[in-house]
Amino acid sequence: AQTVTQSQPEMSVQEAETVTLSCTYDTSENNYYLFWYKQPPSRQMILVIRQEAYKQQNATENRFSVNFQKAAKSFSLKISDSQLGDTAMYFCALKNSGGSNYKLTFGKGTLLTVNP
Amino acid sequence: DTEVTQTPKHLVMGMTNKKSLKCEQHMGHRAMYWYKQKAKKPPELMFVYSYEKLSINESVPSRFSPECPNSSLLNLHLHALQPEDSALYLCASSQHGTSGVLRDEQYFGPGTRLTVT
């Protein structure tokens, strides 16, 4: 069975500062995808960033970047220049590739509040 | 266009009612999903449709009945629900790879907030 652990239930950061959200995972597969999803209060869940396990280079999307450590099974999200609109629940998720793998395994989430 | 739409946005129903939730996507995705999400919790997978056929049922009670009329639409029929079924119901879709393997990221709709009284 695969698991995803987010050890920080809640975090806060001041506007314009940098914050890092932690995620560790466990899977017996060698090929898989990792994702960070953002769900603002009462709003739609959107994909923030994705990482293919076979790629050593860390994914980056504008102010969002990841630190992917495959050996340590760690996948943290760094948000630079935090904005008020970044306030949301952030979910780390894992999906194995291949076969009939359909399931996204989510962590419990980290509630991030950006303060003005 | 990476949009998944869901209707209605809000639904209040009694335990004896029958209602349906609707989901639509026009991204050409051939895999569609229903999730249930409680407040401040991650989504829980309910059903997966692959090429309009039910592929996965995560042991969901029969009072929830999914339907996939075509490749763009997904319905969830509700009957005789319980108050504990009150939740946000999310629809999602994703692409298939060339080998038919379910791929990558799922795109989520805004959800239907269901209250069972």
Side-chain angles (χ1 to χ4, degrees):
Chain A
Q2 55 198 40
T3 60
V4 176
T5 302
Q6 294 179 249
S7 58
Q8 304 149 316
E10 294 188 30
M11 295 187 72
S12 63
V13 64
Q14 293 299 120
E15 198 174 5
E17 293 187 348
T18 296
V19 63
T20 299
L21 280 57
S22 301
C23 174
T24 58
Y25 62 92
D26 192 24
T27 178
S28 57
E29 301 291 325
N30 195 43
N31 295 319
Y32 49 88
Y33 300 98
L34 291 160
F35 309 97
W36 279 99
Y37 282 91
K38 168 186 176 181
Q39 190 175 34
S42 300
R43 292 183 61 188
Q44 193 161 347
M45 185 175 295
I46 60 172
L47 178 67
V48 174
I49 201 165
R50 58 174 287 206
Q51 174 83 40
E52 291 95 335
Y54 63 86
K55 289 186 177 179
Q56 291 186 332
Q57 186 173 5
N58 289 325
T60 299
E61 287 288 341
N62 300 313
R63 297 182 296 107
F64 298 88
S65 61
V66 298
N67 183 4
F68 174 48
Q69 301 290 329
K70 190 172 183 179
K73 296 184 176 177
S74 172
F75 183 61
S76 61
L77 176 69
K78 185 172 82 171
I79 306 174
S80 303
D81 186 24
S82 297
Q83 300 176 359
L84 296 178
D86 295 333
T87 292
M89 182 72 88
Y90 287 82
F91 293 103
C92 179
L94 164 70
K95 181 184 172 301
N96 291 328
S97 61
S100 61
N101 289 304
Y102 57 89
K103 194 166 184 176
L104 268 179
T105 299
F106 288 94
K108 291 187 175 181
T110 295
L111 180 60
L112 176 68
T113 301
V114 180
N115 298 309
Chain B
D1 184 11
T2 57
E3 188 177 54
V4 177
T5 59
Q6 291 186 243
T7 55
K9 290 185 178 180
H10 301 275
L11 179 63
V12 179
M13 60 184 292
M15 290 189 285
T16 59
N17 291 159
K18 287 185 180 181
K19 297 286 184 183
S20 296
L21 309 185
K22 296 186 183 300
C23 173
E24 189 168 4
Q25 57 88 14
H26 294 287
M27 295 179 279
H29 292 173
R30 302 302 294 275
M32 297 185 75
Y33 309 77
W34 279 116
Y35 287 87
K36 173 183 178 181
Q37 187 181 28
K38 292 281 197 179
K40 295 187 178 181
K41 299 291 186 182
E44 299 172 25
L45 183 66
M46 300 175 70
F47 302 103
V48 179
Y49 272 83
S50 176
Y51 293 104
E52 296 86 68
K53 294 188 187 305
L54 183 63
S55 177
I56 299 295
N57 177 341
E58 291 281 297
S59 303
V60 179
S62 60
R63 58 185 183 270
F64 295 92
S65 176
E67 179 196 20
C68 191
N70 60 54
S71 60
S72 300
L73 295 174
L74 186 66
N75 298 322
L76 186 63
H77 304 296
L78 314 173
H79 173 56
L81 295 192
Q82 304 298 310
E84 59 264 30
D85 296 322
S86 297
L88 182 67
Y89 287 84
L90 296 170
C91 174
S93 70
S94 67
Q95 288 180 324
H96 277 278
T98 54
S99 63
V101 170
L102 292 168
R103 282 190 59 185
D104 282 335
E105 62 264 29
Q106 295 178 17
Y107 294 92
F108 286 84
T112 293
R113 189 161 299 282
L114 174 68
T115 303
V116 181
T117 61

